[in-house]
């Protein structure tokens, strides 16, 4: 670029004096003297003396500036052709040239006038006026062109001077104009590149993603335009070079004149300068473009870092808010659930943070210019992830300790209550005898052994164990229970002393008062009273002693034996009849409940008197709220109930009812698929006055949402009843049909369950209905192994499994990620985010994976992609392999 900028700037170019050049009063034909001196010819020109001085000077100056410095330094040869003119014209030409020629002269040849008189005058004139011309070079007067040939070779002279040199003035002007235009183009292009380069170098990098993207786009567009300009310039130069070389190309005998050769050299030099400029510019642009791209990467990284950091900070803040360690088993269990929910909620941000840190480290490995900015952020992300993980573990440890503590406290408290009850239940009158006292002592000793089972032999031991995590409230509660333990132990000690005395020696009967289970023993009146009923009034009344536990056991055993004896008398048909009676009775209740929902709620939505109570969100949403409940009611009321009522006398016909109505029972699938939408609408409108009014009229204890759950509960109830019937009819007639009926109902339940999962698939661009029948679905651990791809990704995948929910269709296997979200504080709803799919026509399976009998492999494209799948059990794995094998076998048979 600098070379182009520093090249000589000529004062004149052809376009500036184009008219004067076209007059052709002086030409640079391209010929050379024997020593290489450039030849300027002044052809015969009638109005030579009338040419303005400025025009003459400009043309001569321009012509002398064209040859190279080396050629110009030899000196110019001037040929003045005045053969048809007079001596006065010769004199005028010499005078003008002598006075205004800007170059270094070597020789002047004058072709003098050919007429005899003018030639004689010229001879005399040159002798008289030679000194007046003030020329320091020889002026040679020639009589003819043949004389000229003695000085200059004919090949260097134009045809007008008897030579063979091809010269076209118009073409010469055209070439000169084109060369100078090209030189200007090269100069302008170089200046544009330099200006652009300066702008790039001085550009400050933006601080946000959008501005960086805009700057990158702007600079890239500008770069593309400049590259187009460069291409045009190179094309212009190449075309010009072809034009100059055209005579040589056209004829092998032709040769370029020295001036034309210099023109070629000039154009080639300019093209070389363009090439150097382009290379330098490309090198600079590559560095600048890389920096801009790295800047954009950095801005994206910083933007993602801020978002992830904010999420993680909020997560840490939420976690820090979990300071409560609970004051009861129930509370601690709830806190553990909340902690688990927080951990699950934090899983996605933590994965994003780890992924972003990995991305940052990759930027560092790729020699990013902002290493000092990226590395601390990667460290910060990993630190927060570690802090969250460690804090989560710490919370779990503390809550685990707290749960253990409260469970032990509860056990201790229950033990105390049981001890007090035991003391209170020992019949006082029976303890007066030696045998009674010994029996009571054995009971007490047996009970005291249970203290060791609950690790309560040392009452203070568990308290000391948890001293570090105790709050003042829990500490007070623990101290109260420890005190209670000591009190109960003291009560047992005193009772044992009394009983031992009674067992060792018979004394006058004394009736101590049994202590109330919830209070300390009170001293009774010495007067012996009859036992009163529990809850009777009077401060000095002795409470009724509890019946002996042994008697209770005896009654229970006797009852069980009687029941067992009766059961043996009941025939299988009797049990079958009871089950059918239960099925029919519950079916009638079910139909009545469906009727009450339709008449008491669904129909009331069309009641003009209640329409003002219906919330706007519920308007025209009856089908969403109730789904196909009317269709289910119609089927059970008109068809199914009547058919099963006919089975009272013939229980063996029941299985046929289910088999016959297999297709009709599919209506439950549609109902269950609509259930999430119905629940969402109920959560939005369930508190409205309309529903409260309907519930009041129906006198229902439960709200509508409980009744909308009835169909889901009913379809599962059938399989329980069929299982009970199957137990009673093993190896008897009708067993096969019952088994088939049970399989039918289980298949419907599975189909309903599968469809519920299927409708929760998100992100799959195709139509799942085109994938064939849904055969299986379930959650697995999945590892991937790809032949293609980054080794690091493959290594990471090998160790850390992905949690994936698989959907097996006859045509496709879908891999989804299960996501659970809370909906307005209600139970979690699962959705399945689509991740990948494999066509079943292109997969193979490996049934056993070395080292784990719960794993199997599904591979794709000749093991180019391998998915290692781990089931939760061997049974589940075998079930899936069986289904996949059926699909693959079916495809193979279809191909045959």
């Amino acid at each position: 670029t600098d070379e182009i900028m520093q090249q000589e700037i000529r004062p004149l170019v052809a376009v500036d004096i184009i008219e004067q050049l076209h007059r052709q009063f002086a030409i640079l034909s391209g010929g050379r003297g024997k020593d290489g001196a450039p030849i300027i010819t002044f052809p015969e020109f009638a109005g030579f003396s009338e040419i303005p001085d400025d025009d003459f000077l400009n043309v001569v100056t321009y012509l002398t500036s064209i040859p190279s410095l080396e050629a110009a330094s030899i000196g110019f040869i001037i040929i003045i052709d005045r053969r048809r003119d007079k001596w006065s014209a010769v004199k005028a030409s010499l005078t003008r040239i002598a006075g205004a020629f800007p170059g270094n002269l070597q020789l002047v040849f004058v072709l003098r006038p050919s007429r005899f008189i003018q030639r004689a005058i010229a001879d005399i004139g040159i002798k008289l006026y030679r000194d007046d011309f003030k020329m320091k070079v020889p002026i040679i007067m020639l009589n003819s062109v043949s004389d000229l040939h003695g000085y200059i070779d004919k090949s260097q002279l134009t045809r007008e001077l008897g030579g063979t040199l091809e010269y076209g003035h118009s073409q010469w002007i055209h070439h000169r104009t084109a060369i100078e235009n090209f030189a200007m183009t090269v100069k302008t292009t170089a200046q544009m590149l330099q200006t652009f380069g300066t702008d790039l170098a001085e550009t400050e990098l933006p601080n946000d993603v959008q501005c960086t993207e805009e700057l990158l786009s702007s600079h890239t567009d500008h770069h593309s335009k400049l590259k187009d300009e460069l291409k045009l310039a190179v094309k212009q130069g190449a075309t010009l070079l072809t034009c100059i070389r055209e005579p040589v190309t056209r004829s092998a005998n032709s040769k370029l004149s020295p001036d034309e050769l210099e023109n070629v050299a000039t154009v080639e030099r300019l093209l070389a300068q363009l090439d150097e400029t382009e290379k330098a510019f490309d090198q600079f642009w590559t560095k600048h473009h890389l920096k801009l791209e790295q800047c954009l990467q950095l801005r994206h990284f910083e933007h993602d870092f801020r978002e992830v950091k904010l999420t993680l900070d909020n997560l840490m803040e939420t976690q820090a808010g979990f300071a409560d360690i609970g004051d009861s088993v129930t509370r601690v269990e709830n806190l553990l659930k909340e902690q688990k929910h927080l951990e699950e909620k934090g899983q996605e941000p933590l994965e994003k943070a780890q992924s972003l840190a990995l991305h940052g480290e990759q930027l560092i490995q790729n020699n990013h210019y902002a290493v000092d900015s990226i590395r601390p952020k990667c460290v910060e992300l990993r630190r927060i992830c570690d802090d969250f993980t460690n804090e989560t573990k710490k919370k779990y440890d503390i809550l685990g300790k707290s749960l253990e503590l409260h469970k032990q406290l509860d056990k201790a408290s229950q033990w105390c209550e049981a001890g007090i009850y035991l003391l209170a239940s020992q019949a006082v009158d029976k303890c007066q005898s030696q045998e009674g006292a010994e029996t009571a002592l054995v009971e007490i000793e047996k009970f005291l052994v249970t203290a060791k089972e609950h690790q309560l032999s040392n009452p203070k031991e568990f308290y000391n164990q948890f001293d570090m995590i105790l709050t003042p409230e829990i500490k007070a509660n623990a101290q109260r229970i420890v005190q209670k333990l000591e009190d109960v132990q003291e009560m047992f000690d005193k009772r044992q002393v009394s009983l031992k005395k009674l067992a060792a020696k018979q004394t006058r009967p004394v009736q101590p008062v049994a202590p109330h289970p919830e209070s300390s023993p009170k001293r009774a009146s010495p007067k012996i009273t009859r036992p009163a009923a529990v809850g009777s009034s009077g401060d000095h009344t002795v409470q009724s002693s509890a019946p002996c536990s042994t008697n209770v056991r005896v009654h229970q055993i006797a009852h069980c034996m009687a029941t067992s004896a009766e059961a043996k008398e009941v025939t299988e048909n009797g049990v079958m009849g009871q089950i059918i009676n239960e099925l029919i009775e519950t079916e009638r209740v079910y139909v009545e409940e469906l009727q009450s929902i339709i008449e008491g709620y669904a129909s009331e939505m069309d009641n003009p008197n209640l329409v003002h109570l219906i919330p706007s969100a519920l308007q025209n949403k009856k089908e969403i709220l109730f789904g196909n409940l009317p269709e289910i009611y119609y089927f059970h009321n008109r068809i199914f109930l009547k058919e099963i009522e006919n089975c009272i006398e013939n229980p063996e016909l029941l299985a046929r009812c289910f088999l016959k109505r297999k297709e009709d029972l599919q209506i439950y699938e549609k109902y269950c698929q609509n259930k999430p939408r119905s629940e969402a609408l109920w959560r939005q409108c369930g508190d409205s006055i309309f529903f409260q009014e309907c519930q009041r009229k129906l006198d229902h204890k439960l709200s509508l949402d409980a009744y909308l759950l009835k169909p889901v509960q009913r379809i599962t109830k059938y399989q329980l009843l069929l299982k009970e019937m199957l137990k009673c009819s093993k190896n008897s007639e009708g067993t096969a049909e019952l088994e088939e009926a049970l399989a039918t109902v289980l298949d419907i339940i599975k189909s309903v369950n599968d469809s519920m999962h299927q409708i929760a698939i998100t992100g799959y661009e195709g139509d799942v209905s085109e994938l064939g029948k849904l055969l299986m679905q379930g959650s697995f651990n999945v590892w991937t192994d790809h032949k293609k791809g980054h080794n690091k990704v493959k290594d990471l995948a090998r160790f850390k499994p992905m949690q994936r929910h698989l959907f097996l269709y006859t045509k496709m296997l879908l891999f989804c990620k299960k996501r659970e979200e809370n909906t307005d504080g209600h139970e979690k709803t699962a959705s399945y985010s689509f991740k990948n799919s494999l066509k079943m026509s292109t997969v193979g399976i490996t049934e056993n994976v070395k080292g784990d009998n719960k794993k199997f492999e599904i591979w794709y494209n000749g093991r180019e992609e391998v998915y290692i799948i781990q089931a939760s059990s061997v049974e589940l794995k075998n079930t899936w392999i069986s289904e996949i094998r059926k699909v693959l076998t079916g495809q193979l048979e279809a191909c045959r």
Side-chain angles (χ1 to χ4, degrees):
T1 306
D2 292 337
E3 187 181 342
I4 295 175
M5 293 301 293
Q6 290 169 5
Q7 67 180 327
E8 182 186 358
I9 301 172
R10 296 192 177 97
L12 285 171
V13 289
V15 74
D16 296 336
I17 53 170
I18 196 76
E19 291 182 9
Q20 292 90 319
L21 289 173
H22 274 297
R23 295 175 73 182
Q24 205 173 340
F25 59 79
I27 63 170
L28 185 71
S29 63
R32 291 284 193 273
K34 290 177 181 178
D35 56 358
I39 299 171
I40 293 178
T41 305
F42 288 89
E44 289 184 303
F45 190 82
F48 187 79
S49 59
E50 296 171 6
I51 295 170
D53 290 341
D54 287 345
D55 290 357
F56 177 80
L57 182 60
N58 285 340
V59 170
V60 174
T61 302
Y62 177 68
L63 294 179
T64 55
S65 69
I66 293 171
S68 66
L69 291 173
E70 184 184 352
S73 66
I74 299 170
F76 288 89
I77 295 174
I78 291 178
I79 299 174
I80 303 171
D81 185 5
R82 293 294 180 264
R83 285 174 290 174
R84 297 178 186 175
D85 220 325
K86 299 177 181 178
W87 159 247
S88 58
V90 175
K91 182 183 176 183
S93 298
L94 287 169
T95 304
R96 173 166 272 188
I97 290 167
F101 193 79
N104 181 24
L105 279 173
Q106 186 189 91
L107 275 174
V108 177
F109 292 101
V110 179
L111 283 168
R112 56 187 165 188
S114 55
R115 285 178 293 176
F116 180 77
I117 295 172
Q118 291 300 325
R119 184 180 294 178
I121 294 170
D123 287 345
I124 296 165
I126 198 69
K127 290 175 184 177
L128 293 174
Y129 296 104
R130 185 183 293 273
D131 293 337
D132 293 347
F133 297 140
K134 296 178 183 176
M135 286 191 182
K136 296 177 181 179
V137 296
I139 301 172
I140 301 171
M141 302 294 287
L142 302 172
N143 293 324
S144 63
V145 290
S146 57
D147 292 344
L148 180 61
H149 296 163
Y151 293 94
I152 300 171
D153 192 88
K154 290 169 71 174
S155 64
Q156 302 300 313
L157 296 170
T158 60
R159 294 184 184 279
E160 289 77 12
L161 298 175
T164 59
L165 181 66
E166 293 290 340
Y167 176 77
H169 192 60
S170 296
Q171 187 185 46
W172 181 87
I173 291 173
H174 174 70
H175 282 179
R176 289 309 308 165
T177 307
I179 289 168
E180 287 162 4
N181 279 344
F182 180 53
M184 185 56 66
T185 300
V186 172
K187 181 181 176 181
T188 306
T189 304
Q191 287 173 339
M192 285 195 298
L193 294 181
Q194 188 177 41
T195 303
F196 182 53
T198 304
D199 290 345
L200 296 188
E202 293 175 354
T203 301
E204 289 187 13
L205 297 177
N207 290 322
D208 62 274
V209 172
Q210 185 179 349
C211 291
T212 308
E213 285 176 340
E214 289 171 357
L215 184 67
L216 181 59
S217 175
S218 167
H219 282 191
T220 304
D221 290 346
H222 199 165
H223 169 260
S224 299
K225 288 176 184 174
L226 286 176
K227 287 289 284 184
D228 290 342
E229 294 281 348
L230 270 169
K231 286 177 185 175
L232 277 174
V234 170
K235 188 177 180 182
Q236 181 185 345
T239 306
L240 178 55
L241 205 57
T242 304
C243 289
I244 296 171
R245 288 173 172 164
E246 191 264 339
V248 179
T249 310
R250 191 175 64 238
S251 171
N253 297 325
S254 296
K255 288 184 179 179
L256 295 179
S257 70
D259 277 4
E260 287 172 329
L261 289 171
E262 282 191 6
N263 286 346
V264 168
T266 300
V267 175
E268 287 177 339
R269 176 171 51 79
L270 289 169
L271 282 170
Q273 288 176 358
L274 261 184
D275 186 53
E276 287 173 14
T277 303
E278 185 174 12
K279 284 178 182 175
F281 175 68
D282 284 345
Q283 190 176 4
F284 176 78
W285 169 253
T286 301
K287 291 179 182 176
H288 177 75
H289 188 254
L290 176 63
K291 190 162 187 178
L292 273 184
E293 283 189 326
Q294 287 187 341
C295 177
L296 184 58
Q297 290 170 345
L298 178 64
R299 298 302 173 243
H300 274 298
F301 178 77
E302 290 172 339
H303 176 266
D304 293 344
F305 173 79
R306 285 192 292 270
E307 284 191 346
V308 171
K309 177 81 162 53
L310 182 63
T311 307
L312 291 177
D313 286 346
N314 290 338
L315 207 61
M316 292 294 287
E317 190 177 335
T318 306
Q319 191 181 56
F322 278 106
D324 189 3
I325 62 168
D327 55 5
S328 66
V329 171
T330 306
R331 176 61 182 153
V332 176
E333 285 174 344
N334 287 334
L335 286 171
L336 280 166
K337 286 178 184 176
E338 289 175 17
Q339 183 62 40
K340 182 69 176 173
H341 172 65
L342 180 65
E343 186 183 20
E344 289 170 353
K345 183 182 173 184
Q347 198 60 39
E348 189 175 347
L350 286 175
E351 285 177 6
K352 281 185 179 177
Q354 294 285 8
S355 174
L356 187 60
L358 188 63
H359 175 56
E361 285 164 1
Q362 287 171 349
L363 292 179
I364 292 170
Q365 287 175 6
N366 294 335
N367 299 318
H368 198 285
Y369 71 84
V371 171
D372 293 339
S373 173
I374 296 170
R375 184 172 282 119
K377 291 181 175 62
C378 294
V379 172
E380 176 73 358
L381 287 171
R382 295 204 186 280
R383 182 192 64 74
I384 296 175
C385 289
D386 290 343
D387 285 353
F388 182 79
T389 305
N390 294 335
E391 195 62 28
T392 300
K393 186 177 181 301
K394 187 178 172 184
K395 293 280 185 189
Y396 275 128
D397 290 344
I398 291 172
L399 289 173
K401 283 276 187 187
S402 180
L403 184 64
E404 188 182 348
L405 166 67
H406 285 102
K407 280 183 176 178
Q408 289 202 28
L409 288 175
D410 281 1
K411 283 179 182 178
S413 183
Q414 288 163 9
W415 185 84
C416 289
E417 296 299 330
I420 292 168
Y421 179 77
L422 174 62
L423 292 173
S425 64
Q426 288 182 334
V428 177
D429 54 342
K430 290 185 179 180
C431 292
Q432 301 304 309
S433 67
Q434 184 176 0
E435 185 182 352
E438 286 174 351
T439 303
L441 274 171
V442 170
E443 287 176 353
I444 289 171
E445 285 167 4
K446 281 182 179 178
F447 182 78
L448 289 174
V449 170
T450 63
K452 293 178 182 177
E453 292 174 11
H454 295 301
Q455 297 178 341
L456 298 175
S457 54
N458 180 359
K460 292 186 179 179
E461 184 180 334
F462 68 93
Y463 166 64
N464 293 329
Q465 183 183 350
F466 301 105
D467 187 43
M468 294 299 292
I469 63 163
L470 296 179
T471 62
E473 294 81 8
I474 296 173
K475 208 175 258 187
N477 186 35
Q479 287 169 344
R480 183 179 60 77
I481 291 173
V482 168
Q483 185 60 51
K484 192 173 182 181
L485 280 168
E486 291 174 350
D487 290 346
V488 171
Q489 187 64 47
E490 186 181 350
M491 288 164 64
F492 274 116
D493 290 343
K494 288 180 178 178
R495 177 65 63 88
Q496 281 178 309
V497 170
S498 300
L499 289 172
K500 282 175 182 176
K501 286 179 181 177
L502 287 169
K505 179 184 175 182
Q506 282 299 317
T507 59
R508 185 171 53 84
V510 177
Q511 186 173 2
V513 180
H516 190 279
E518 295 179 3
S519 64
S520 301
K522 291 183 181 177
R523 194 175 293 277
S525 168
K527 181 180 177 182
I528 297 172
T529 59
R530 291 182 62 189
V534 176
S536 60
S537 58
D539 291 337
H540 302 288
T541 309
V542 179
Q543 285 194 323
S544 167
S545 60
C548 178
S549 58
T550 309
N551 292 337
V552 173
R553 282 197 212 94
V554 170
H555 286 302
Q556 287 175 341
I557 292 167
H559 175 73
C560 291
M561 288 172 66
T563 306
S564 177
E566 289 169 11
K568 288 179 181 177
E569 295 173 6
V570 179
T571 63
E572 288 183 357
N573 285 339
V575 175
M576 202 74 116
Q578 288 177 7
I579 295 170
I580 288 178
N581 282 335
E582 182 186 351
L583 174 63
I584 293 169
E585 284 305 313
T586 53
E587 186 75 12
R588 287 169 181 161
V589 172
Y590 176 53
V591 169
E592 288 172 6
E593 287 174 336
L594 293 182
Q595 184 180 1
S596 71
I597 296 168
I598 291 167
E599 293 177 357
Y601 287 100
S603 299
E604 290 295 273
M605 288 180 72
D606 301 321
N607 184 345
N609 297 326
L610 295 178
V611 73
H612 66 284
L613 299 178
I614 299 173
S616 58
L618 193 61
Q619 298 287 347
N620 304 316
K621 299 279 180 69
K622 187 198 289 188
E623 288 185 3
I624 294 176
L625 185 62
F626 297 98
N628 62 332
L629 198 70
E631 186 183 2
I632 293 172
Y633 169 67
Y634 179 88
F635 167 68
H636 285 272
N637 186 42
R638 298 287 182 89
I639 301 169
F640 201 59
L641 176 59
K642 292 177 181 176
E643 288 183 356
I644 62 175
E645 282 176 339
N646 293 333
C647 298
I648 293 176
E649 302 299 328
N650 301 296
E652 65 277 1
L653 298 177
L654 184 68
R656 294 178 194 173
C657 289
F658 282 96
L659 294 173
K660 179 182 175 183
R661 296 301 171 188
K662 179 178 179 180
E663 296 300 323
D664 294 308
L665 289 167
Q666 296 293 337
I667 55 177
Y668 280 91
E669 186 172 336
K670 182 178 177 182
Y671 184 80
C672 291
Q673 283 179 346
N674 181 67
K675 199 74 177 70
R677 296 171 69 209
S678 171
E679 288 172 352
L681 187 60
W682 172 258
R683 285 196 294 271
Q684 194 177 353
C685 311
D687 295 334
S688 70
I689 300 172
F690 170 75
F691 289 121
Q692 293 172 13
E693 180 62 20
C694 292
Q695 185 177 343
R696 186 189 63 76
K697 285 183 179 180
L698 291 168
D699 196 24
H700 279 178
K701 292 181 180 179
L702 300 174
S703 55
L704 172 62
D705 59 324
Y707 286 91
L708 291 175
L709 201 59
K710 295 288 182 181
V712 182
Q713 295 167 337
R714 189 61 186 167
I715 194 68
T716 54
K717 178 73 173 175
Y718 290 139
Q719 57 115 355
L720 297 174
L721 291 169
L722 286 170
K723 282 179 181 176
E724 289 299 318
M725 290 182 71
L726 205 53
K727 285 179 187 176
C728 300
S729 65
K730 281 294 180 186
N731 303 319
S732 63
E733 188 180 349
T735 300
E737 282 188 333
L738 272 174
E739 287 175 344
E740 194 177 347
L742 176 60
T744 297
V745 174
L746 289 173
D747 190 48
I748 291 168
I749 293 170
K750 179 181 178 299
S751 180
V752 167
N753 188 37
D754 289 348
S755 70
M756 290 288 285
H757 288 278
Q758 178 180 271
I759 61 170
I761 296 175
T762 62
Y764 180 69
E765 293 183 357
D767 185 353
V768 291
S769 63
E770 295 176 359
L771 304 181
K773 184 180 178 183
L774 177 59
L775 304 172
M776 301 284 285
Q777 55 81 26
S779 293
F780 296 88
N781 286 333
V782 178
W783 292 261
T784 60
D785 190 0
H786 301 269
K787 285 183 180 176
K788 296 179 180 178
H790 201 278
N791 288 335
K792 188 172 287 185
V793 174
K794 189 164 73 173
D795 291 341
L796 281 172
R798 191 174 297 136
F799 295 112
K800 184 179 179 183
M802 298 177 288
Q803 303 299 316
R804 291 290 181 263
H805 202 90
L806 273 56
F807 292 84
L808 175 64
Y809 295 87
T810 50
K811 296 181 182 177
M812 193 84 78
L813 178 64
L814 300 188
F815 289 79
C816 299
K817 183 172 183 178
K818 186 176 181 180
R819 302 183 188 279
E820 290 186 340
E821 298 174 359
N822 277 343
T823 50
D824 303 330
H826 292 75
E827 62 181 14
K828 292 179 179 178
T829 57
S831 67
Y832 301 97
S833 176
F834 172 74
K835 293 294 180 184
N836 191 18
S837 64
L838 299 176
K839 287 184 179 178
M840 292 304 293
S841 58
T842 59
V843 305
I845 60 169
T846 304
E847 296 183 11
N848 294 304
V849 175
K850 188 176 179 181
D852 192 339
N853 62 354
K854 291 185 286 187
K855 286 182 181 177
F856 63 98
E857 286 182 347
I858 296 178
W859 39 267
Y860 183 67
N861 272 0
R863 296 187 71 83
E864 184 177 291
E865 295 179 23
V866 178
Y867 296 83
I868 302 166
I869 297 170
Q870 184 186 49
S872 58
S873 67
V874 177
E875 293 75 19
L876 181 63
K877 166 196 160 180
N878 292 336
T879 305
W880 272 73
I881 286 174
S882 174
E883 284 297 329
I884 293 170
R885 196 188 294 118
K886 285 178 188 174
V887 173
L888 298 182
T889 306
Q891 290 173 351
L892 193 62
E893 289 174 355
C895 291
R896 289 174 183 169

